[in-house]
Amino acid sequence: MSDRLSPLHEVHAAAGAVFTDFAGWQMPVRYSSDLAEHKAVREAAGIFDLSHMGEILVVGPGAAAALDYAVSGRISALQPGQAKYTLLLNDAGGVLDDLIVYRTGEDRFLVVANAANAGTVAGELRGRADRFDAQVHDESDDVALIAVQGPRALEVLLNTEGFALDGGHPDGEDVADALSSLRYYRALAGNFNGSAVLFARTGYTGEDGFEIFVSPDAARALWGALVEAGAPFHLVPAGLAARDTLRLEAGMPLYGHELDAETLPVQAGLGRVVDLGKPGDFVGRAAIEKGPAPEASVLVGLRGEGKRAARADYPVRDESGATIGRVTSGALSPTLGFPIAMAYVAPSHAAEGTVVAVDIRGTAHPYLVTPLPFYKRKKTS
């Protein structure tokens, strides 16, 4: 049952949003058109409500060491203001969640978890941190999260009134200079009309963009200011449907589709996210070092023809009709104009250029194994 509402729920309803149940939350799936919202993010900018995500603080003198033990990446190597994509593994090396960890101070880290897993992540982190001088606080109810994504995202933020840096910036930059120079996977503390915010140059769309953490009390005013500032840049509200096709085109995994507790990171193409070079033990290390069975399926990209899209859990078959895998995510790509999918298949059929068949409601449709991601944004100089 969906009984949790975003602090922006009334704003979405007034904008004509259609809602869906997502991890126990009522969240906008679309406002007008999935395609129009997707196109806006690729060509201009879209604004997303991500307040359903989990935010967990890990603080204390042993916080960095605790996170090194708790997750797959070397969190202690982060400098304040840096962020890292990482994985929370179980003892068998399977993925309990994929996370972004921001180092917001010398002994202070913000862990962002998927909505469905926030409670699990908080509990696991508490258990794993108990041997260290660190405390874990689940602050999910005290944080709203708004994302502005797209090639004009920076322009939207620079045009938004009310942003400032707390106490100035060490090198004398103002907020416009600081946001303009903020690099990918970096974060910057500031405020919006006196309310504390954290600007992060991160996202889940394959485009440039920002995610802004703010108190729920200030979320409506911030959303309104961003929408007003974004009007000249064709900013539109975007829902979960557009977010899903955007991340699929960008080859970004979604927990519960490409990632789960039975799948090792290397199977999902995320072996690089596990730092076996860091000193000491971490949860799942022995299983990761052992690796999956030789016949374990691996994640691939699939490109189809025509307009019929593969969907999650559709069977993937070889030339003889034998099942060799399953689709995890699929759609007709709004940007590219042809069907795309991610799927787990047997290693024998994972090579680029291999032709497989996806069973779409009883009919075999040819798909070509193709590299991920399907789409890469053009980098500006």
Side-chain angles (χ1 to χ4, degrees):
M1 179 179 178
S2 300
D3 55 4
R4 303 202 65 183
L5 301 179
S6 160
L8 296 165
H9 184 83
E10 293 180 3
V11 174
H12 303 319
V18 175
F19 293 91
T20 189
D21 174 18
F22 188 81
W25 292 73
Q26 282 286 306
M27 297 301 295
V29 67
R30 71 182 58 83
Y31 297 83
S32 57
S33 155
D34 302 351
L35 293 177
E37 293 166 24
H38 180 111
K39 183 178 180 182
V41 176
R42 286 282 180 253
E43 297 180 358
I47 183 169
F48 298 83
D49 180 8
L50 307 181
S51 298
H52 56 298
M53 302 290 280
E55 289 85 16
I56 300 141
L57 283 182
V58 183
V59 296
L67 285 167
D68 276 353
Y69 172 72
V71 303
S72 69
R74 192 182 310 211
I75 306 303
S76 59
L78 295 177
Q79 297 299 312
Q82 287 186 317
K84 191 175 189 67
Y85 177 78
T86 191
L87 303 170
L88 185 75
L89 306 177
N90 57 25
D91 287 330
V95 180
L96 296 177
D97 202 13
D98 59 335
L99 313 167
I100 296 181
V101 179
Y102 301 87
R103 190 168 199 163
T104 57
E106 189 61 35
D107 297 329
R108 186 180 182 88
F109 299 83
L110 172 64
V111 179
V112 179
N114 286 295
N117 300 330
T120 297
V121 172
E124 287 289 336
L125 290 178
R126 286 193 187 99
R128 298 177 189 192
D130 63 3
R131 68 184 70 182
F132 299 90
D133 187 5
Q135 298 80 48
V136 177
H137 307 285
D138 187 349
E139 299 204 338
S140 302
D141 292 339
D142 302 319
V143 179
L145 179 57
I146 298 171
V148 179
Q149 300 282 299
R152 308 199 76 176
L154 175 60
E155 294 174 273
V156 174
L157 266 66
L158 295 182
N159 199 44
T160 302
E161 296 185 0
F163 286 143
L165 299 178
D166 289 334
H169 206 244
D171 55 9
E173 286 182 313
D174 62 16
V175 67
D177 290 336
L179 289 173
S180 298
S181 60
L182 192 65
R183 294 165 57 193
Y184 191 51
Y185 266 69
R186 300 293 192 277
L188 175 71
N191 69 79
F192 170 71
N193 291 336
S195 294
V197 299
L198 181 70
F199 302 102
R201 202 153 197 173
T202 48
Y204 194 56
T205 63
E207 296 295 339
D208 187 20
F210 295 82
E211 296 178 319
I212 307 172
F213 299 83
V214 65
S215 73
D217 291 342
R220 290 183 65 168
L222 176 56
W223 180 279
L226 289 164
V227 169
E228 181 179 358
F233 309 109
H234 308 290
L235 174 81
V236 304
L240 291 173
R243 184 168 157 84
D244 193 50
T245 51
L246 289 159
R247 69 93 194 169
L248 175 57
E249 288 182 345
M252 294 177 167
L254 177 63
Y255 194 87
H257 288 251
E258 288 73 41
L259 302 174
D260 59 42
E262 284 72 50
T263 302
L264 272 64
V266 70
Q267 294 177 256
L270 295 176
R272 68 190 183 282
V273 182
V274 181
D275 189 347
L276 289 172
K278 65 178 175 178
D281 195 16
F282 61 88
V283 176
R285 179 166 196 146
I288 294 296
E289 289 176 337
K290 180 180 178 182
E295 68 276 10
S297 60
V298 295
L299 188 69
V300 299
L302 299 178
R303 170 179 175 162
E305 298 176 352
K307 299 297 182 182
R308 297 200 65 183
R311 302 295 182 185
D313 295 324
Y314 283 10
V316 181
R317 309 193 193 279
D318 65 13
E319 61 279 0
S320 71
T323 300
I324 55 164
R326 64 176 181 86
V327 173
T328 54
S329 300
L332 178 62
S333 168
T335 303
L336 305 173
F338 50 76
I340 58 173
M342 289 192 281
Y344 277 100
V345 302
S348 57
H349 288 73
E352 181 181 345
T354 302
V355 177
V356 298
V358 176
D359 186 333
I360 301 178
R361 299 187 178 182
T363 302
H365 289 258
Y367 272 74
L368 188 71
V369 175
T370 189
L372 293 170
F374 302 101
Y375 166 87
K376 287 184 180 180
R377 69 182 177 95
K378 296 181 176 66
K379 301 289 181 68
T380 55
S381 58

PDB file of all heavy atoms in Angstrom, residues 133-158:
ATOM      1  N   ASP A 133      34.517   3.604  15.432  1.00  0.00           N
ATOM      2  CA  ASP A 133      34.091   4.816  16.146  1.00  0.00           C
ATOM      3  C   ASP A 133      33.270   5.669  15.172  1.00  0.00           C
ATOM      4  O   ASP A 133      33.741   6.680  14.651  1.00  0.00           O
ATOM      5  CB  ASP A 133      35.312   5.574  16.660  1.00  0.00           C
ATOM      6  CG  ASP A 133      34.936   6.760  17.554  1.00  0.00           C
ATOM      7  OD1 ASP A 133      33.730   6.925  17.835  1.00  0.00           O
ATOM      8  OD2 ASP A 133      35.842   7.516  17.938  1.00  0.00           O
ATOM      9  N   ALA A 134      32.060   5.202  14.917  1.00  0.00           N
ATOM     10  CA  ALA A 134      31.203   5.869  13.939  1.00  0.00           C
ATOM     11  C   ALA A 134      29.744   5.662  14.317  1.00  0.00           C
ATOM     12  O   ALA A 134      29.382   4.652  14.931  1.00  0.00           O
ATOM     13  CB  ALA A 134      31.465   5.319  12.542  1.00  0.00           C
ATOM     14  N   GLN A 135      28.917   6.615  13.944  1.00  0.00           N
ATOM     15  CA  GLN A 135      27.482   6.532  14.182  1.00  0.00           C
ATOM     16  C   GLN A 135      26.741   6.643  12.849  1.00  0.00           C
ATOM     17  O   GLN A 135      27.196   7.336  11.935  1.00  0.00           O
ATOM     18  CB  GLN A 135      27.007   7.654  15.122  1.00  0.00           C
ATOM     19  CG  GLN A 135      27.625   7.617  16.513  1.00  0.00           C
ATOM     20  CD  GLN A 135      29.018   8.225  16.526  1.00  0.00           C
ATOM     21  OE1 GLN A 135      29.228   9.312  15.987  1.00  0.00           O
ATOM     22  NE2 GLN A 135      29.963   7.525  17.131  1.00  0.00           N
ATOM     23  N   VAL A 136      25.625   5.954  12.776  1.00  0.00           N
ATOM     24  CA  VAL A 136      24.809   5.927  11.561  1.00  0.00           C
ATOM     25  C   VAL A 136      23.436   6.499  11.894  1.00  0.00           C
ATOM     26  O   VAL A 136      22.783   6.043  12.841  1.00  0.00           O
ATOM     27  CB  VAL A 136      24.682   4.497  11.014  1.00  0.00           C
ATOM     28  CG1 VAL A 136      23.769   4.475   9.792  1.00  0.00           C
ATOM     29  CG2 VAL A 136      26.058   3.932  10.676  1.00  0.00           C
ATOM     30  N   HIS A 137      23.004   7.488  11.124  1.00  0.00           N
ATOM     31  CA  HIS A 137      21.710   8.140  11.344  1.00  0.00           C
ATOM     32  C   HIS A 137      20.913   8.129  10.041  1.00  0.00           C
ATOM     33  O   HIS A 137      21.383   8.655   9.023  1.00  0.00           O
ATOM     34  CB  HIS A 137      21.900   9.585  11.811  1.00  0.00           C
ATOM     35  CG  HIS A 137      22.807   9.737  13.006  1.00  0.00           C
ATOM     36  ND1 HIS A 137      22.421   9.408  14.276  1.00  0.00           N
ATOM     37  CD2 HIS A 137      24.094  10.168  13.091  1.00  0.00           C
ATOM     38  CE1 HIS A 137      23.417   9.633  15.117  1.00  0.00           C
ATOM     39  NE2 HIS A 137      24.451  10.097  14.421  1.00  0.00           N
ATOM     40  N   ASP A 138      19.733   7.546  10.080  1.00  0.00           N
ATOM     41  CA  ASP A 138      18.849   7.567   8.913  1.00  0.00           C
ATOM     42  C   ASP A 138      18.079   8.877   8.918  1.00  0.00           C
ATOM     43  O   ASP A 138      17.201   9.091   9.759  1.00  0.00           O
ATOM     44  CB  ASP A 138      17.891   6.372   8.960  1.00  0.00           C
ATOM     45  CG  ASP A 138      17.064   6.241   7.675  1.00  0.00           C
ATOM     46  OD1 ASP A 138      17.075   7.176   6.848  1.00  0.00           O
ATOM     47  OD2 ASP A 138      16.409   5.199   7.509  1.00  0.00           O
ATOM     48  N   GLU A 139      18.416   9.765   7.984  1.00  0.00           N
ATOM     49  CA  GLU A 139      17.790  11.086   7.920  1.00  0.00           C
ATOM     50  C   GLU A 139      16.854  11.210   6.718  1.00  0.00           C
ATOM     51  O   GLU A 139      16.529  12.318   6.285  1.00  0.00           O
ATOM     52  CB  GLU A 139      18.870  12.165   7.889  1.00  0.00           C
ATOM     53  CG  GLU A 139      19.759  12.161   9.129  1.00  0.00           C
ATOM     54  CD  GLU A 139      20.412  13.498   9.401  1.00  0.00           C
ATOM     55  OE1 GLU A 139      20.532  14.299   8.449  1.00  0.00           O
ATOM     56  OE2 GLU A 139      20.784  13.734  10.568  1.00  0.00           O
ATOM     57  N   SER A 140      16.402  10.076   6.207  1.00  0.00           N
ATOM     58  CA  SER A 140      15.580  10.086   4.991  1.00  0.00           C
ATOM     59  C   SER A 140      14.336  10.954   5.137  1.00  0.00           C
ATOM     60  O   SER A 140      13.925  11.632   4.185  1.00  0.00           O
ATOM     61  CB  SER A 140      15.174   8.667   4.627  1.00  0.00           C
ATOM     62  OG  SER A 140      16.310   7.848   4.441  1.00  0.00           O
ATOM     63  N   ASP A 141      13.717  10.954   6.331  1.00  0.00           N
ATOM     64  CA  ASP A 141      12.492  11.728   6.525  1.00  0.00           C
ATOM     65  C   ASP A 141      12.761  13.223   6.641  1.00  0.00           C
ATOM     66  O   ASP A 141      11.814  14.027   6.582  1.00  0.00           O
ATOM     67  CB  ASP A 141      11.756  11.249   7.778  1.00  0.00           C
ATOM     68  CG  ASP A 141      11.194   9.846   7.626  1.00  0.00           C
ATOM     69  OD1 ASP A 141      11.023   9.407   6.471  1.00  0.00           O
ATOM     70  OD2 ASP A 141      10.941   9.198   8.658  1.00  0.00           O
ATOM     71  N   ASP A 142      14.011  13.591   6.815  1.00  0.00           N
ATOM     72  CA  ASP A 142      14.355  14.999   7.026  1.00  0.00           C
ATOM     73  C   ASP A 142      14.988  15.643   5.808  1.00  0.00           C
ATOM     74  O   ASP A 142      15.498  16.766   5.889  1.00  0.00           O
ATOM     75  CB  ASP A 142      15.326  15.117   8.209  1.00  0.00           C
ATOM     76  CG  ASP A 142      14.738  14.545   9.487  1.00  0.00           C
ATOM     77  OD1 ASP A 142      13.536  14.772   9.732  1.00  0.00           O
ATOM     78  OD2 ASP A 142      15.468  13.849  10.217  1.00  0.00           O
ATOM     79  N   VAL A 143      14.974  14.917   4.671  1.00  0.00           N
ATOM     80  CA  VAL A 143      15.636  15.415   3.463  1.00  0.00           C
ATOM     81  C   VAL A 143      14.719  15.251   2.259  1.00  0.00           C
ATOM     82  O   VAL A 143      14.128  14.187   2.063  1.00  0.00           O
ATOM     83  CB  VAL A 143      16.963  14.661   3.202  1.00  0.00           C
ATOM     84  CG1 VAL A 143      17.634  15.175   1.926  1.00  0.00           C
ATOM     85  CG2 VAL A 143      17.909  14.790   4.390  1.00  0.00           C
ATOM     86  N   ALA A 144      14.581  16.303   1.481  1.00  0.00           N
ATOM     87  CA  ALA A 144      13.949  16.234   0.166  1.00  0.00           C
ATOM     88  C   ALA A 144      15.060  16.343  -0.878  1.00  0.00           C
ATOM     89  O   ALA A 144      16.129  16.898  -0.606  1.00  0.00           O
ATOM     90  CB  ALA A 144      12.935  17.352  -0.022  1.00  0.00           C
ATOM     91  N   LEU A 145      14.795  15.801  -2.053  1.00  0.00           N
ATOM     92  CA  LEU A 145      15.821  15.788  -3.096  1.00  0.00           C
ATOM     93  C   LEU A 145      15.189  16.157  -4.432  1.00  0.00           C
ATOM     94  O   LEU A 145      14.206  15.536  -4.856  1.00  0.00           O
ATOM     95  CB  LEU A 145      16.472  14.406  -3.170  1.00  0.00           C
ATOM     96  CG  LEU A 145      17.566  14.192  -4.218  1.00  0.00           C
ATOM     97  CD1 LEU A 145      18.699  15.193  -4.058  1.00  0.00           C
ATOM     98  CD2 LEU A 145      18.107  12.760  -4.123  1.00  0.00           C
ATOM     99  N   ILE A 146      15.743  17.175  -5.065  1.00  0.00           N
ATOM    100  CA  ILE A 146      15.258  17.657  -6.360  1.00  0.00           C
ATOM    101  C   ILE A 146      16.409  17.598  -7.352  1.00  0.00           C
ATOM    102  O   ILE A 146      17.517  18.055  -7.055  1.00  0.00           O
ATOM    103  CB  ILE A 146      14.730  19.100  -6.249  1.00  0.00           C
ATOM    104  CG1 ILE A 146      13.521  19.162  -5.286  1.00  0.00           C
ATOM    105  CG2 ILE A 146      14.343  19.650  -7.627  1.00  0.00           C
ATOM    106  CD1 ILE A 146      13.080  20.581  -4.955  1.00  0.00           C
ATOM    107  N   ALA A 147      16.153  17.026  -8.530  1.00  0.00           N
ATOM    108  CA  ALA A 147      17.182  16.943  -9.568  1.00  0.00           C
ATOM    109  C   ALA A 147      16.798  17.810 -10.752  1.00  0.00           C
ATOM    110  O   ALA A 147      15.635  17.823 -11.174  1.00  0.00           O
ATOM    111  CB  ALA A 147      17.372  15.499 -10.015  1.00  0.00           C
ATOM    112  N   VAL A 148      17.767  18.522 -11.293  1.00  0.00           N
ATOM    113  CA  VAL A 148      17.623  19.237 -12.562  1.00  0.00           C
ATOM    114  C   VAL A 148      18.648  18.631 -13.505  1.00  0.00           C
ATOM    115  O   VAL A 148      19.848  18.669 -13.241  1.00  0.00           O
ATOM    116  CB  VAL A 148      17.860  20.752 -12.401  1.00  0.00           C
ATOM    117  CG1 VAL A 148      17.722  21.456 -13.753  1.00  0.00           C
ATOM    118  CG2 VAL A 148      16.883  21.343 -11.390  1.00  0.00           C
ATOM    119  N   GLN A 149      18.159  18.040 -14.588  1.00  0.00           N
ATOM    120  CA  GLN A 149      19.012  17.274 -15.490  1.00  0.00           C
ATOM    121  C   GLN A 149      18.828  17.739 -16.931  1.00  0.00           C
ATOM    122  O   GLN A 149      17.710  18.032 -17.360  1.00  0.00           O
ATOM    123  CB  GLN A 149      18.660  15.787 -15.398  1.00  0.00           C
ATOM    124  CG  GLN A 149      18.841  15.186 -14.005  1.00  0.00           C
ATOM    125  CD  GLN A 149      20.280  14.895 -13.677  1.00  0.00           C
ATOM    126  OE1 GLN A 149      20.944  14.104 -14.349  1.00  0.00           O
ATOM    127  NE2 GLN A 149      20.790  15.533 -12.628  1.00  0.00           N
ATOM    128  N   GLY A 150      19.922  17.773 -17.665  1.00  0.00           N
ATOM    129  CA  GLY A 150      19.859  18.145 -19.073  1.00  0.00           C
ATOM    130  C   GLY A 150      20.965  19.117 -19.434  1.00  0.00           C
ATOM    131  O   GLY A 150      21.620  19.705 -18.552  1.00  0.00           O
ATOM    132  N   PRO A 151      21.173  19.332 -20.729  1.00  0.00           N
ATOM    133  CA  PRO A 151      22.273  20.201 -21.164  1.00  0.00           C
ATOM    134  C   PRO A 151      22.139  21.648 -20.708  1.00  0.00           C
ATOM    135  O   PRO A 151      23.132  22.375 -20.699  1.00  0.00           O
ATOM    136  CB  PRO A 151      22.232  20.081 -22.696  1.00  0.00           C
ATOM    137  CG  PRO A 151      20.893  19.528 -23.028  1.00  0.00           C
ATOM    138  CD  PRO A 151      20.479  18.692 -21.864  1.00  0.00           C
ATOM    139  N   ARG A 152      20.937  22.068 -20.311  1.00  0.00           N
ATOM    140  CA  ARG A 152      20.755  23.446 -19.844  1.00  0.00           C
ATOM    141  C   ARG A 152      20.551  23.519 -18.334  1.00  0.00           C
ATOM    142  O   ARG A 152      20.133  24.550 -17.799  1.00  0.00           O
ATOM    143  CB  ARG A 152      19.594  24.098 -20.591  1.00  0.00           C
ATOM    144  CG  ARG A 152      19.709  23.990 -22.105  1.00  0.00           C
ATOM    145  CD  ARG A 152      18.855  24.981 -22.858  1.00  0.00           C
ATOM    146  NE  ARG A 152      19.441  26.327 -22.819  1.00  0.00           N
ATOM    147  CZ  ARG A 152      18.924  27.381 -23.476  1.00  0.00           C
ATOM    148  NH1 ARG A 152      17.843  27.223 -24.238  1.00  0.00           N
ATOM    149  NH2 ARG A 152      19.489  28.565 -23.390  1.00  0.00           N
ATOM    150  N   ALA A 153      20.873  22.423 -17.641  1.00  0.00           N
ATOM    151  CA  ALA A 153      20.674  22.385 -16.190  1.00  0.00           C
ATOM    152  C   ALA A 153      21.452  23.474 -15.472  1.00  0.00           C
ATOM    153  O   ALA A 153      20.932  24.138 -14.559  1.00  0.00           O
ATOM    154  CB  ALA A 153      21.057  21.006 -15.660  1.00  0.00           C
ATOM    155  N   LEU A 154      22.705  23.670 -15.858  1.00  0.00           N
ATOM    156  CA  LEU A 154      23.500  24.698 -15.188  1.00  0.00           C
ATOM    157  C   LEU A 154      22.882  26.072 -15.381  1.00  0.00           C
ATOM    158  O   LEU A 154      22.804  26.865 -14.439  1.00  0.00           O
ATOM    159  CB  LEU A 154      24.936  24.677 -15.721  1.00  0.00           C
ATOM    160  CG  LEU A 154      25.852  25.783 -15.188  1.00  0.00           C
ATOM    161  CD1 LEU A 154      25.989  25.706 -13.670  1.00  0.00           C
ATOM    162  CD2 LEU A 154      27.227  25.715 -15.851  1.00  0.00           C
ATOM    163  N   GLU A 155      22.403  26.355 -16.587  1.00  0.00           N
ATOM    164  CA  GLU A 155      21.774  27.651 -16.833  1.00  0.00           C
ATOM    165  C   GLU A 155      20.564  27.854 -15.934  1.00  0.00           C
ATOM    166  O   GLU A 155      20.317  28.968 -15.446  1.00  0.00           O
ATOM    167  CB  GLU A 155      21.350  27.760 -18.306  1.00  0.00           C
ATOM    168  CG  GLU A 155      22.509  27.783 -19.290  1.00  0.00           C
ATOM    169  CD  GLU A 155      22.015  27.738 -20.722  1.00  0.00           C
ATOM    170  OE1 GLU A 155      21.814  26.614 -21.241  1.00  0.00           O
ATOM    171  OE2 GLU A 155      21.816  28.812 -21.316  1.00  0.00           O
ATOM    172  N   VAL A 156      19.810  26.787 -15.717  1.00  0.00           N
ATOM    173  CA  VAL A 156      18.642  26.880 -14.836  1.00  0.00           C
ATOM    174  C   VAL A 156      19.077  27.274 -13.426  1.00  0.00           C
ATOM    175  O   VAL A 156      18.504  28.194 -12.818  1.00  0.00           O
ATOM    176  CB  VAL A 156      17.862  25.551 -14.811  1.00  0.00           C
ATOM    177  CG1 VAL A 156      16.745  25.603 -13.775  1.00  0.00           C
ATOM    178  CG2 VAL A 156      17.284  25.236 -16.194  1.00  0.00           C
ATOM    179  N   LEU A 157      20.094  26.594 -12.899  1.00  0.00           N
ATOM    180  CA  LEU A 157      20.536  26.916 -11.543  1.00  0.00           C
ATOM    181  C   LEU A 157      21.111  28.322 -11.450  1.00  0.00           C
ATOM    182  O   LEU A 157      20.868  29.038 -10.472  1.00  0.00           O
ATOM    183  CB  LEU A 157      21.574  25.883 -11.059  1.00  0.00           C
ATOM    184  CG  LEU A 157      21.001  24.719 -10.248  1.00  0.00           C
ATOM    185  CD1 LEU A 157      20.099  23.847 -11.103  1.00  0.00           C
ATOM    186  CD2 LEU A 157      22.096  23.900  -9.596  1.00  0.00           C
ATOM    187  N   LEU A 158      21.844  28.729 -12.466  1.00  0.00           N
ATOM    188  CA  LEU A 158      22.440  30.069 -12.431  1.00  0.00           C
ATOM    189  C   LEU A 158      21.385  31.157 -12.512  1.00  0.00           C
ATOM    190  O   LEU A 158      21.623  32.293 -12.071  1.00  0.00           O
ATOM    191  CB  LEU A 158      23.443  30.228 -13.580  1.00  0.00           C
ATOM    192  CG  LEU A 158      24.680  29.328 -13.538  1.00  0.00           C
ATOM    193  CD1 LEU A 158      25.603  29.634 -14.715  1.00  0.00           C
ATOM    194  CD2 LEU A 158      25.420  29.461 -12.220  1.00  0.00           C
TER     195      LEU A 158
END
